[in-house]
Amino acid sequence: MDNEFSLLIIDDEPHVSDAIRIFAGEMGYKVWEAGSYEGLSELYDQADPTIIILDPSMPKYDGMEFLRELAKRKCQAQIFLSSGQARRVTLTARRLGLDLGLNMANSLPKTATNNVLESCLATIANKNFNMTAKFLSEAIKHEKLVVYYQPKVALTGDNPYSVTGAEALVRLNHPVLGLLSPDLFIGLAEENDLIGQLTNLVLKETTKQIKKWGEQGIVLPISVNISPLMLTDLFLPDKIAAIIEAAEVDPSMIVLEVTEKATMVDAGKAMDILKRIRLKNISVSLDDFGAGYSSIVELYRMPLNELKLDGALIRDMEHNEDAFIVVRGILAMARELGIPVCAEGVETLKTAEMLRRLKCQTGQGYYFSKPLPVCDFSKFVVGR
């Protein structure tokens, strides 16, 4: 298993195992499932797991016995405990695992969302996968990157839940591991002066696809993420405009997503660049608003066409009244400023309906759709 990430699920509830298996498989993990103590004994050596997700409340043999067995086998995998039991039960099990010398990660809720799972799996994979700058450079050069599109849908208006646009999300097509999440290579690209080449490739692919969709009658603006490091290049607006012109598409069909963090490297230069981008009829969206470092002041300082609320904040609002109040306040303020708002991280019908009542214009998240390859995205749009 030298070149693969392997996930072992120890859980006696098939619907839980199935959900994790499908999602982890899409991220490039080879997945094994053990629904019993005997199953663990049979599969462990074959699986050689990188990650283990263990329900400590198993019948017949409890999770403590599983942990002792893993310690006997000198298990080096990261172990996530996933339980519906009271928090103190999970904490006790985690403490035992640590005492046994196991690599105990933070616990996962029994009904962990796809975003939570993706974050955990990507983080561990990043620690275990030694991707090099040379490998990434070659992948960019030979266009081994694939662009997926996650739909954005209307939450207000006469046709709720219709598709209003999408966000372009890059994947790296690894010959062994399959499609890798950007969490595994964006940081490496930024550290090795490859982020500009990578972003140009995404922009070129996206603009070509916009033109193809337009010929099919699908006219939707697509968002592309811009690294903070790119907002120091005064020639960036002209470079982006040249890519759009070469593809023969309307500049208004491209939305550039930036974070407020992007303006902190050189605030004056960043604002100059963003204003010039707007003058070229290219839209600007402030991403991850509410993630912790965003400032309300930026809502009127930056030349924005859209405000995107951070997914963690949106996921919290269903269960946390304070989060709900914050979201409601931001939406009211954005309305007064005339800035449309998109909520990321919408994962349940309840959250979607809460946002509709608050008159949030658009939503994005796994409740509507995961990121899709081109052919599936086209079908999704037509089907709505």
Side-chain angles (χ1 to χ4, degrees), residues 1 3-7 20-32 50 118 121-122 125 129 148 171-181 184:
M1 308 292 290
N3 293 314
E4 295 184 12
F5 305 132
S6 180
L7 169 65
I20 297 173
R21 172 174 46 78
I22 292 169
F23 187 76
E26 292 174 350
M27 287 190 67
Y29 278 82
K30 188 161 188 178
V31 184
W32 307 80
T50 308
E118 181 174 20
L121 296 177
F129 177 44
Y148 274 41
R171 304 286 188 263
L172 194 154
N173 195 4
H174 190 277
V176 175
L177 303 173
L179 295 178
L180 299 180
S181 163
L184 298 176

PDB file of all heavy atoms in Angstrom, residues 1 3-7 20-32 50 118 121-122 125 129 148 171-181 184:
ATOM      1  N   MET A   1       0.827  -1.212   0.000  1.00  0.00           N
ATOM      2  CA  MET A   1       0.000   0.000   0.000  1.00  0.00           C
ATOM      3  C   MET A   1       0.866   1.268   0.000  1.00  0.00           C
ATOM      4  O   MET A   1       0.459   2.306   0.473  1.00  0.00           O
ATOM      5  CB  MET A   1      -0.910   0.008   1.225  1.00  0.00           C
ATOM      6  CG  MET A   1      -1.725  -1.237   1.431  1.00  0.00           C
ATOM      7  SD  MET A   1      -2.973  -1.473   0.178  1.00  0.00           S
ATOM      8  CE  MET A   1      -4.106  -0.160   0.588  1.00  0.00           C
ATOM      9  N   ASN A   3       1.713   3.479  -2.141  1.00  0.00           N
ATOM     10  CA  ASN A   3       1.282   4.665  -2.867  1.00  0.00           C
ATOM     11  C   ASN A   3      -0.206   4.910  -2.759  1.00  0.00           C
ATOM     12  O   ASN A   3      -0.796   5.576  -3.588  1.00  0.00           O
ATOM     13  CB  ASN A   3       1.677   4.517  -4.344  1.00  0.00           C
ATOM     14  CG  ASN A   3       3.181   4.537  -4.517  1.00  0.00           C
ATOM     15  OD1 ASN A   3       3.841   5.371  -3.940  1.00  0.00           O
ATOM     16  ND2 ASN A   3       3.700   3.603  -5.288  1.00  0.00           N
ATOM     17  N   GLU A   4      -0.846   4.341  -1.740  1.00  0.00           N
ATOM     18  CA  GLU A   4      -2.278   4.525  -1.600  1.00  0.00           C
ATOM     19  C   GLU A   4      -2.618   4.965  -0.186  1.00  0.00           C
ATOM     20  O   GLU A   4      -1.911   4.681   0.767  1.00  0.00           O
ATOM     21  CB  GLU A   4      -3.016   3.216  -1.908  1.00  0.00           C
ATOM     22  CG  GLU A   4      -2.879   2.757  -3.344  1.00  0.00           C
ATOM     23  CD  GLU A   4      -3.700   1.514  -3.609  1.00  0.00           C
ATOM     24  OE1 GLU A   4      -4.530   1.157  -2.757  1.00  0.00           O
ATOM     25  OE2 GLU A   4      -3.505   0.898  -4.660  1.00  0.00           O
ATOM     26  N   PHE A   5      -3.729   5.665  -0.068  1.00  0.00           N
ATOM     27  CA  PHE A   5      -4.289   5.976   1.226  1.00  0.00           C
ATOM     28  C   PHE A   5      -5.351   4.926   1.496  1.00  0.00           C
ATOM     29  O   PHE A   5      -6.211   4.665   0.656  1.00  0.00           O
ATOM     30  CB  PHE A   5      -4.920   7.366   1.224  1.00  0.00           C
ATOM     31  CG  PHE A   5      -3.977   8.446   0.789  1.00  0.00           C
ATOM     32  CD1 PHE A   5      -4.370   9.376  -0.156  1.00  0.00           C
ATOM     33  CD2 PHE A   5      -2.709   8.532   1.314  1.00  0.00           C
ATOM     34  CE1 PHE A   5      -3.503  10.386  -0.557  1.00  0.00           C
ATOM     35  CE2 PHE A   5      -1.841   9.533   0.918  1.00  0.00           C
ATOM     36  CZ  PHE A   5      -2.240  10.455  -0.017  1.00  0.00           C
ATOM     37  N   SER A   6      -5.287   4.314   2.668  1.00  0.00           N
ATOM     38  CA  SER A   6      -6.209   3.227   2.989  1.00  0.00           C
ATOM     39  C   SER A   6      -7.024   3.587   4.223  1.00  0.00           C
ATOM     40  O   SER A   6      -6.467   3.977   5.246  1.00  0.00           O
ATOM     41  CB  SER A   6      -5.411   1.939   3.233  1.00  0.00           C
ATOM     42  OG  SER A   6      -6.273   0.867   3.540  1.00  0.00           O
ATOM     43  N   LEU A   7      -8.336   3.451   4.105  1.00  0.00           N
ATOM     44  CA  LEU A   7      -9.246   3.777   5.204  1.00  0.00           C
ATOM     45  C   LEU A   7      -9.956   2.508   5.653  1.00  0.00           C
ATOM     46  O   LEU A   7     -10.551   1.799   4.843  1.00  0.00           O
ATOM     47  CB  LEU A   7     -10.277   4.807   4.736  1.00  0.00           C
ATOM     48  CG  LEU A   7     -11.470   5.072   5.671  1.00  0.00           C
ATOM     49  CD1 LEU A   7     -10.994   5.690   6.983  1.00  0.00           C
ATOM     50  CD2 LEU A   7     -12.482   5.985   5.003  1.00  0.00           C
ATOM     51  N   ILE A  20     -19.644   6.730   4.374  1.00  0.00           N
ATOM     52  CA  ILE A  20     -18.222   7.070   4.473  1.00  0.00           C
ATOM     53  C   ILE A  20     -17.453   6.434   3.312  1.00  0.00           C
ATOM     54  O   ILE A  20     -16.588   7.068   2.706  1.00  0.00           O
ATOM     55  CB  ILE A  20     -17.643   6.604   5.820  1.00  0.00           C
ATOM     56  CG1 ILE A  20     -18.344   7.332   6.975  1.00  0.00           C
ATOM     57  CG2 ILE A  20     -16.137   6.850   5.875  1.00  0.00           C
ATOM     58  CD1 ILE A  20     -17.955   6.824   8.346  1.00  0.00           C
ATOM     59  N   ARG A  21     -17.783   5.178   2.996  1.00  0.00           N
ATOM     60  CA  ARG A  21     -17.073   4.467   1.920  1.00  0.00           C
ATOM     61  C   ARG A  21     -17.211   5.200   0.584  1.00  0.00           C
ATOM     62  O   ARG A  21     -16.238   5.389  -0.145  1.00  0.00           O
ATOM     63  CB  ARG A  21     -17.618   3.046   1.787  1.00  0.00           C
ATOM     64  CG  ARG A  21     -17.073   2.298   0.558  1.00  0.00           C
ATOM     65  CD  ARG A  21     -17.520   0.843   0.538  1.00  0.00           C
ATOM     66  NE  ARG A  21     -18.929   0.700   0.831  1.00  0.00           N
ATOM     67  CZ  ARG A  21     -19.907   0.933  -0.049  1.00  0.00           C
ATOM     68  NH1 ARG A  21     -19.619   1.356  -1.264  1.00  0.00           N
ATOM     69  NH2 ARG A  21     -21.174   0.757   0.284  1.00  0.00           N
ATOM     70  N   ILE A  22     -18.423   5.619   0.266  1.00  0.00           N
ATOM     71  CA  ILE A  22     -18.660   6.287  -1.016  1.00  0.00           C
ATOM     72  C   ILE A  22     -17.887   7.598  -1.088  1.00  0.00           C
ATOM     73  O   ILE A  22     -17.205   7.891  -2.071  1.00  0.00           O
ATOM     74  CB  ILE A  22     -20.170   6.525  -1.224  1.00  0.00           C
ATOM     75  CG1 ILE A  22     -20.889   5.184  -1.408  1.00  0.00           C
ATOM     76  CG2 ILE A  22     -20.421   7.444  -2.419  1.00  0.00           C
ATOM     77  CD1 ILE A  22     -22.399   5.286  -1.359  1.00  0.00           C
ATOM     78  N   PHE A  23     -17.970   8.380  -0.008  1.00  0.00           N
ATOM     79  CA  PHE A  23     -17.314   9.695  -0.027  1.00  0.00           C
ATOM     80  C   PHE A  23     -15.797   9.549  -0.045  1.00  0.00           C
ATOM     81  O   PHE A  23     -15.113  10.226  -0.813  1.00  0.00           O
ATOM     82  CB  PHE A  23     -17.751  10.521   1.180  1.00  0.00           C
ATOM     83  CG  PHE A  23     -17.257  11.927   1.132  1.00  0.00           C
ATOM     84  CD1 PHE A  23     -17.849  12.860   0.302  1.00  0.00           C
ATOM     85  CD2 PHE A  23     -16.178  12.323   1.910  1.00  0.00           C
ATOM     86  CE1 PHE A  23     -17.373  14.168   0.238  1.00  0.00           C
ATOM     87  CE2 PHE A  23     -15.698  13.624   1.857  1.00  0.00           C
ATOM     88  CZ  PHE A  23     -16.309  14.539   1.014  1.00  0.00           C
ATOM     89  N   ALA A  24     -15.257   8.654   0.802  1.00  0.00           N
ATOM     90  CA  ALA A  24     -13.805   8.479   0.857  1.00  0.00           C
ATOM     91  C   ALA A  24     -13.275   7.921  -0.458  1.00  0.00           C
ATOM     92  O   ALA A  24     -12.187   8.280  -0.909  1.00  0.00           O
ATOM     93  CB  ALA A  24     -13.434   7.551   2.012  1.00  0.00           C
ATOM     94  N   GLY A  25     -14.060   7.045  -1.080  1.00  0.00           N
ATOM     95  CA  GLY A  25     -13.672   6.496  -2.377  1.00  0.00           C
ATOM     96  C   GLY A  25     -13.512   7.576  -3.420  1.00  0.00           C
ATOM     97  O   GLY A  25     -12.601   7.545  -4.257  1.00  0.00           O
ATOM     98  N   GLU A  26     -14.394   8.571  -3.376  1.00  0.00           N
ATOM     99  CA  GLU A  26     -14.318   9.685  -4.326  1.00  0.00           C
ATOM    100  C   GLU A  26     -13.074  10.526  -4.106  1.00  0.00           C
ATOM    101  O   GLU A  26     -12.603  11.205  -5.025  1.00  0.00           O
ATOM    102  CB  GLU A  26     -15.567  10.568  -4.205  1.00  0.00           C
ATOM    103  CG  GLU A  26     -16.838   9.884  -4.687  1.00  0.00           C
ATOM    104  CD  GLU A  26     -18.081  10.714  -4.419  1.00  0.00           C
ATOM    105  OE1 GLU A  26     -17.969  11.731  -3.700  1.00  0.00           O
ATOM    106  OE2 GLU A  26     -19.153  10.348  -4.920  1.00  0.00           O
ATOM    107  N   MET A  27     -12.526  10.488  -2.890  1.00  0.00           N
ATOM    108  CA  MET A  27     -11.320  11.259  -2.585  1.00  0.00           C
ATOM    109  C   MET A  27     -10.050  10.478  -2.895  1.00  0.00           C
ATOM    110  O   MET A  27      -8.937  10.980  -2.703  1.00  0.00           O
ATOM    111  CB  MET A  27     -11.318  11.669  -1.114  1.00  0.00           C
ATOM    112  CG  MET A  27     -12.295  12.758  -0.766  1.00  0.00           C
ATOM    113  SD  MET A  27     -12.024  13.361   0.923  1.00  0.00           S
ATOM    114  CE  MET A  27     -10.419  14.141   0.764  1.00  0.00           C
ATOM    115  N   GLY A  28     -10.164   9.243  -3.383  1.00  0.00           N
ATOM    116  CA  GLY A  28      -8.992   8.467  -3.743  1.00  0.00           C
ATOM    117  C   GLY A  28      -8.553   7.448  -2.716  1.00  0.00           C
ATOM    118  O   GLY A  28      -7.520   6.802  -2.884  1.00  0.00           O
ATOM    119  N   TYR A  29      -9.303   7.281  -1.629  1.00  0.00           N
ATOM    120  CA  TYR A  29      -8.964   6.289  -0.615  1.00  0.00           C
ATOM    121  C   TYR A  29      -9.420   4.902  -1.032  1.00  0.00           C
ATOM    122  O   TYR A  29     -10.495   4.746  -1.627  1.00  0.00           O
ATOM    123  CB  TYR A  29      -9.639   6.635   0.719  1.00  0.00           C
ATOM    124  CG  TYR A  29      -8.904   7.669   1.531  1.00  0.00           C
ATOM    125  CD1 TYR A  29      -9.059   9.020   1.262  1.00  0.00           C
ATOM    126  CD2 TYR A  29      -8.046   7.298   2.554  1.00  0.00           C
ATOM    127  CE1 TYR A  29      -8.374   9.981   2.001  1.00  0.00           C
ATOM    128  CE2 TYR A  29      -7.365   8.244   3.294  1.00  0.00           C
ATOM    129  CZ  TYR A  29      -7.535   9.582   3.007  1.00  0.00           C
ATOM    130  OH  TYR A  29      -6.859  10.520   3.741  1.00  0.00           O
ATOM    131  N   LYS A  30      -8.627   3.901  -0.705  1.00  0.00           N
ATOM    132  CA  LYS A  30      -9.084   2.520  -0.794  1.00  0.00           C
ATOM    133  C   LYS A  30      -9.746   2.213   0.537  1.00  0.00           C
ATOM    134  O   LYS A  30      -9.141   2.406   1.604  1.00  0.00           O
ATOM    135  CB  LYS A  30      -7.920   1.574  -1.042  1.00  0.00           C
ATOM    136  CG  LYS A  30      -8.388   0.147  -1.331  1.00  0.00           C
ATOM    137  CD  LYS A  30      -7.312  -0.674  -2.010  1.00  0.00           C
ATOM    138  CE  LYS A  30      -7.875  -2.015  -2.449  1.00  0.00           C
ATOM    139  NZ  LYS A  30      -6.871  -2.837  -3.159  1.00  0.00           N
ATOM    140  N   VAL A  31     -10.974   1.745   0.505  1.00  0.00           N
ATOM    141  CA  VAL A  31     -11.770   1.624   1.727  1.00  0.00           C
ATOM    142  C   VAL A  31     -12.029   0.159   2.075  1.00  0.00           C
ATOM    143  O   VAL A  31     -12.403  -0.637   1.213  1.00  0.00           O
ATOM    144  CB  VAL A  31     -13.117   2.370   1.582  1.00  0.00           C
ATOM    145  CG1 VAL A  31     -13.906   2.321   2.883  1.00  0.00           C
ATOM    146  CG2 VAL A  31     -12.878   3.828   1.169  1.00  0.00           C
ATOM    147  N   TRP A  32     -11.848  -0.138   3.352  1.00  0.00           N
ATOM    148  CA  TRP A  32     -12.122  -1.470   3.886  1.00  0.00           C
ATOM    149  C   TRP A  32     -13.139  -1.321   5.006  1.00  0.00           C
ATOM    150  O   TRP A  32     -13.147  -0.325   5.717  1.00  0.00           O
ATOM    151  CB  TRP A  32     -10.840  -2.118   4.430  1.00  0.00           C
ATOM    152  CG  TRP A  32      -9.719  -2.132   3.440  1.00  0.00           C
ATOM    153  CD1 TRP A  32      -8.876  -1.105   3.130  1.00  0.00           C
ATOM    154  CD2 TRP A  32      -9.313  -3.234   2.622  1.00  0.00           C
ATOM    155  NE1 TRP A  32      -7.967  -1.473   2.177  1.00  0.00           N
ATOM    156  CE2 TRP A  32      -8.208  -2.781   1.837  1.00  0.00           C
ATOM    157  CE3 TRP A  32      -9.754  -4.551   2.468  1.00  0.00           C
ATOM    158  CZ2 TRP A  32      -7.555  -3.606   0.931  1.00  0.00           C
ATOM    159  CZ3 TRP A  32      -9.103  -5.368   1.558  1.00  0.00           C
ATOM    160  CH2 TRP A  32      -8.017  -4.899   0.806  1.00  0.00           C
ATOM    161  N   THR A  50      -4.226   3.705   6.672  1.00  0.00           N
ATOM    162  CA  THR A  50      -3.682   5.024   6.965  1.00  0.00           C
ATOM    163  C   THR A  50      -4.560   5.719   7.994  1.00  0.00           C
ATOM    164  O   THR A  50      -4.079   6.448   8.855  1.00  0.00           O
ATOM    165  CB  THR A  50      -3.661   5.885   5.681  1.00  0.00           C
ATOM    166  OG1 THR A  50      -3.016   5.165   4.643  1.00  0.00           O
ATOM    167  CG2 THR A  50      -2.949   7.203   5.922  1.00  0.00           C
ATOM    168  N   GLU A 118     -14.254  15.364   4.530  1.00  0.00           N
ATOM    169  CA  GLU A 118     -13.265  15.778   3.530  1.00  0.00           C
ATOM    170  C   GLU A 118     -12.086  16.462   4.195  1.00  0.00           C
ATOM    171  O   GLU A 118     -10.929  16.206   3.854  1.00  0.00           O
ATOM    172  CB  GLU A 118     -13.902  16.713   2.507  1.00  0.00           C
ATOM    173  CG  GLU A 118     -12.920  17.159   1.427  1.00  0.00           C
ATOM    174  CD  GLU A 118     -13.573  17.965   0.330  1.00  0.00           C
ATOM    175  OE1 GLU A 118     -14.673  18.501   0.556  1.00  0.00           O
ATOM    176  OE2 GLU A 118     -12.983  18.062  -0.749  1.00  0.00           O
ATOM    177  N   LEU A 121      -9.974  13.701   6.083  1.00  0.00           N
ATOM    178  CA  LEU A 121      -9.282  12.796   5.176  1.00  0.00           C
ATOM    179  C   LEU A 121      -8.178  13.513   4.406  1.00  0.00           C
ATOM    180  O   LEU A 121      -7.088  12.983   4.217  1.00  0.00           O
ATOM    181  CB  LEU A 121     -10.276  12.166   4.201  1.00  0.00           C
ATOM    182  CG  LEU A 121     -11.344  11.261   4.826  1.00  0.00           C
ATOM    183  CD1 LEU A 121     -12.304  10.751   3.756  1.00  0.00           C
ATOM    184  CD2 LEU A 121     -10.717  10.088   5.560  1.00  0.00           C
ATOM    185  N   ALA A 122      -8.468  14.745   3.974  1.00  0.00           N
ATOM    186  CA  ALA A 122      -7.469  15.503   3.224  1.00  0.00           C
ATOM    187  C   ALA A 122      -6.270  15.853   4.095  1.00  0.00           C
ATOM    188  O   ALA A 122      -5.124  15.797   3.646  1.00  0.00           O
ATOM    189  CB  ALA A 122      -8.092  16.771   2.650  1.00  0.00           C
ATOM    190  N   ALA A 125      -4.197  12.699   4.569  1.00  0.00           N
ATOM    191  CA  ALA A 125      -3.551  12.340   3.310  1.00  0.00           C
ATOM    192  C   ALA A 125      -2.361  13.252   3.043  1.00  0.00           C
ATOM    193  O   ALA A 125      -1.312  12.823   2.572  1.00  0.00           O
ATOM    194  CB  ALA A 125      -4.552  12.428   2.161  1.00  0.00           C
ATOM    195  N   PHE A 129       1.210  11.753   2.157  1.00  0.00           N
ATOM    196  CA  PHE A 129       1.518  11.737   0.745  1.00  0.00           C
ATOM    197  C   PHE A 129       2.607  12.768   0.462  1.00  0.00           C
ATOM    198  O   PHE A 129       2.393  13.959   0.622  1.00  0.00           O
ATOM    199  CB  PHE A 129       0.266  12.054  -0.070  1.00  0.00           C
ATOM    200  CG  PHE A 129       0.521  12.138  -1.549  1.00  0.00           C
ATOM    201  CD1 PHE A 129       1.314  11.203  -2.185  1.00  0.00           C
ATOM    202  CD2 PHE A 129      -0.042  13.153  -2.285  1.00  0.00           C
ATOM    203  CE1 PHE A 129       1.545  11.277  -3.545  1.00  0.00           C
ATOM    204  CE2 PHE A 129       0.176  13.229  -3.652  1.00  0.00           C
ATOM    205  CZ  PHE A 129       0.972  12.291  -4.279  1.00  0.00           C
ATOM    206  N   TYR A 148     -13.749  20.465 -11.686  1.00  0.00           N
ATOM    207  CA  TYR A 148     -15.112  20.089 -11.336  1.00  0.00           C
ATOM    208  C   TYR A 148     -15.896  21.383 -11.072  1.00  0.00           C
ATOM    209  O   TYR A 148     -15.298  22.425 -10.820  1.00  0.00           O
ATOM    210  CB  TYR A 148     -15.123  19.197 -10.094  1.00  0.00           C
ATOM    211  CG  TYR A 148     -14.933  17.719 -10.380  1.00  0.00           C
ATOM    212  CD1 TYR A 148     -14.013  17.276 -11.322  1.00  0.00           C
ATOM    213  CD2 TYR A 148     -15.670  16.762  -9.693  1.00  0.00           C
ATOM    214  CE1 TYR A 148     -13.834  15.928 -11.575  1.00  0.00           C
ATOM    215  CE2 TYR A 148     -15.502  15.395  -9.941  1.00  0.00           C
ATOM    216  CZ  TYR A 148     -14.579  14.994 -10.883  1.00  0.00           C
ATOM    217  OH  TYR A 148     -14.417  13.659 -11.142  1.00  0.00           O
ATOM    218  N   ARG A 171      -9.040  19.552  -9.344  1.00  0.00           N
ATOM    219  CA  ARG A 171      -8.591  18.267  -8.819  1.00  0.00           C
ATOM    220  C   ARG A 171      -7.337  17.853  -9.580  1.00  0.00           C
ATOM    221  O   ARG A 171      -7.197  18.175 -10.760  1.00  0.00           O
ATOM    222  CB  ARG A 171      -9.662  17.178  -9.007  1.00  0.00           C
ATOM    223  CG  ARG A 171     -11.028  17.509  -8.387  1.00  0.00           C
ATOM    224  CD  ARG A 171     -10.965  17.379  -6.881  1.00  0.00           C
ATOM    225  NE  ARG A 171     -12.270  17.499  -6.255  1.00  0.00           N
ATOM    226  CZ  ARG A 171     -12.761  18.606  -5.727  1.00  0.00           C
ATOM    227  NH1 ARG A 171     -12.054  19.724  -5.792  1.00  0.00           N
ATOM    228  NH2 ARG A 171     -13.940  18.625  -5.144  1.00  0.00           N
ATOM    229  N   LEU A 172      -6.434  17.150  -8.908  1.00  0.00           N
ATOM    230  CA  LEU A 172      -5.244  16.643  -9.573  1.00  0.00           C
ATOM    231  C   LEU A 172      -5.442  15.161  -9.863  1.00  0.00           C
ATOM    232  O   LEU A 172      -5.741  14.379  -8.963  1.00  0.00           O
ATOM    233  CB  LEU A 172      -4.000  16.858  -8.706  1.00  0.00           C
ATOM    234  CG  LEU A 172      -2.648  16.679  -9.398  1.00  0.00           C
ATOM    235  CD1 LEU A 172      -1.574  17.495  -8.685  1.00  0.00           C
ATOM    236  CD2 LEU A 172      -2.207  15.222  -9.446  1.00  0.00           C
ATOM    237  N   ASN A 173      -5.279  14.781 -11.111  1.00  0.00           N
ATOM    238  CA  ASN A 173      -5.519  13.395 -11.526  1.00  0.00           C
ATOM    239  C   ASN A 173      -4.243  12.578 -11.341  1.00  0.00           C
ATOM    240  O   ASN A 173      -3.380  12.545 -12.207  1.00  0.00           O
ATOM    241  CB  ASN A 173      -5.979  13.367 -12.988  1.00  0.00           C
ATOM    242  CG  ASN A 173      -6.580  12.030 -13.363  1.00  0.00           C
ATOM    243  OD1 ASN A 173      -6.725  11.146 -12.522  1.00  0.00           O
ATOM    244  ND2 ASN A 173      -6.937  11.875 -14.616  1.00  0.00           N
ATOM    245  N   HIS A 174      -4.138  11.930 -10.169  1.00  0.00           N
ATOM    246  CA  HIS A 174      -2.958  11.141  -9.837  1.00  0.00           C
ATOM    247  C   HIS A 174      -3.084   9.752 -10.468  1.00  0.00           C
ATOM    248  O   HIS A 174      -4.153   9.145 -10.436  1.00  0.00           O
ATOM    249  CB  HIS A 174      -2.833  11.020  -8.314  1.00  0.00           C
ATOM    250  CG  HIS A 174      -1.538  10.425  -7.858  1.00  0.00           C
ATOM    251  ND1 HIS A 174      -1.321   9.069  -7.816  1.00  0.00           N
ATOM    252  CD2 HIS A 174      -0.382  11.009  -7.425  1.00  0.00           C
ATOM    253  CE1 HIS A 174      -0.098   8.834  -7.371  1.00  0.00           C
ATOM    254  NE2 HIS A 174       0.490   9.987  -7.133  1.00  0.00           N
ATOM    255  N   PRO A 175      -1.991   9.217 -11.053  1.00  0.00           N
ATOM    256  CA  PRO A 175      -2.087   7.924 -11.747  1.00  0.00           C
ATOM    257  C   PRO A 175      -2.451   6.742 -10.856  1.00  0.00           C
ATOM    258  O   PRO A 175      -2.987   5.750 -11.339  1.00  0.00           O
ATOM    259  CB  PRO A 175      -0.683   7.745 -12.344  1.00  0.00           C
ATOM    260  CG  PRO A 175       0.203   8.645 -11.539  1.00  0.00           C
ATOM    261  CD  PRO A 175      -0.644   9.805 -11.145  1.00  0.00           C
ATOM    262  N   VAL A 176      -2.165   6.854  -9.561  1.00  0.00           N
ATOM    263  CA  VAL A 176      -2.480   5.748  -8.637  1.00  0.00           C
ATOM    264  C   VAL A 176      -3.672   6.081  -7.752  1.00  0.00           C
ATOM    265  O   VAL A 176      -4.582   5.273  -7.564  1.00  0.00           O
ATOM    266  CB  VAL A 176      -1.255   5.408  -7.753  1.00  0.00           C
ATOM    267  CG1 VAL A 176      -1.615   4.339  -6.719  1.00  0.00           C
ATOM    268  CG2 VAL A 176      -0.091   4.954  -8.613  1.00  0.00           C
ATOM    269  N   LEU A 177      -3.683   7.290  -7.217  1.00  0.00           N
ATOM    270  CA  LEU A 177      -4.692   7.667  -6.225  1.00  0.00           C
ATOM    271  C   LEU A 177      -5.964   8.235  -6.818  1.00  0.00           C
ATOM    272  O   LEU A 177      -6.937   8.451  -6.110  1.00  0.00           O
ATOM    273  CB  LEU A 177      -4.094   8.684  -5.252  1.00  0.00           C
ATOM    274  CG  LEU A 177      -2.836   8.231  -4.524  1.00  0.00           C
ATOM    275  CD1 LEU A 177      -2.249   9.377  -3.729  1.00  0.00           C
ATOM    276  CD2 LEU A 177      -3.136   7.051  -3.624  1.00  0.00           C
ATOM    277  N   GLY A 178      -5.952   8.502  -8.115  1.00  0.00           N
ATOM    278  CA  GLY A 178      -7.133   9.090  -8.737  1.00  0.00           C
ATOM    279  C   GLY A 178      -7.171  10.594  -8.487  1.00  0.00           C
ATOM    280  O   GLY A 178      -6.135  11.249  -8.374  1.00  0.00           O
ATOM    281  N   LEU A 179      -8.371  11.156  -8.371  1.00  0.00           N
ATOM    282  CA  LEU A 179      -8.520  12.601  -8.224  1.00  0.00           C
ATOM    283  C   LEU A 179      -8.225  13.036  -6.797  1.00  0.00           C
ATOM    284  O   LEU A 179      -8.834  12.547  -5.851  1.00  0.00           O
ATOM    285  CB  LEU A 179      -9.941  13.018  -8.618  1.00  0.00           C
ATOM    286  CG  LEU A 179     -10.304  12.810 -10.090  1.00  0.00           C
ATOM    287  CD1 LEU A 179     -11.744  13.200 -10.333  1.00  0.00           C
ATOM    288  CD2 LEU A 179      -9.374  13.602 -11.004  1.00  0.00           C
ATOM    289  N   LEU A 180      -7.280  13.966  -6.667  1.00  0.00           N
ATOM    290  CA  LEU A 180      -6.882  14.450  -5.353  1.00  0.00           C
ATOM    291  C   LEU A 180      -7.482  15.820  -5.076  1.00  0.00           C
ATOM    292  O   LEU A 180      -7.547  16.689  -5.947  1.00  0.00           O
ATOM    293  CB  LEU A 180      -5.358  14.551  -5.265  1.00  0.00           C
ATOM    294  CG  LEU A 180      -4.578  13.247  -5.454  1.00  0.00           C
ATOM    295  CD1 LEU A 180      -3.080  13.525  -5.334  1.00  0.00           C
ATOM    296  CD2 LEU A 180      -5.004  12.194  -4.448  1.00  0.00           C
ATOM    297  N   SER A 181      -7.902  16.028  -3.832  1.00  0.00           N
ATOM    298  CA  SER A 181      -8.482  17.289  -3.385  1.00  0.00           C
ATOM    299  C   SER A 181      -7.438  18.402  -3.439  1.00  0.00           C
ATOM    300  O   SER A 181      -6.242  18.167  -3.223  1.00  0.00           O
ATOM    301  CB  SER A 181      -8.997  17.113  -1.950  1.00  0.00           C
ATOM    302  OG  SER A 181      -9.203  18.358  -1.340  1.00  0.00           O
ATOM    303  N   LEU A 184      -4.506  19.083  -0.971  1.00  0.00           N
ATOM    304  CA  LEU A 184      -3.253  18.336  -1.019  1.00  0.00           C
ATOM    305  C   LEU A 184      -2.182  19.003  -1.867  1.00  0.00           C
ATOM    306  O   LEU A 184      -1.031  18.572  -1.832  1.00  0.00           O
ATOM    307  CB  LEU A 184      -3.511  16.916  -1.554  1.00  0.00           C
ATOM    308  CG  LEU A 184      -4.447  16.045  -0.719  1.00  0.00           C
ATOM    309  CD1 LEU A 184      -4.680  14.723  -1.406  1.00  0.00           C
ATOM    310  CD2 LEU A 184      -3.875  15.831   0.668  1.00  0.00           C
TER     311      LEU A 184
END
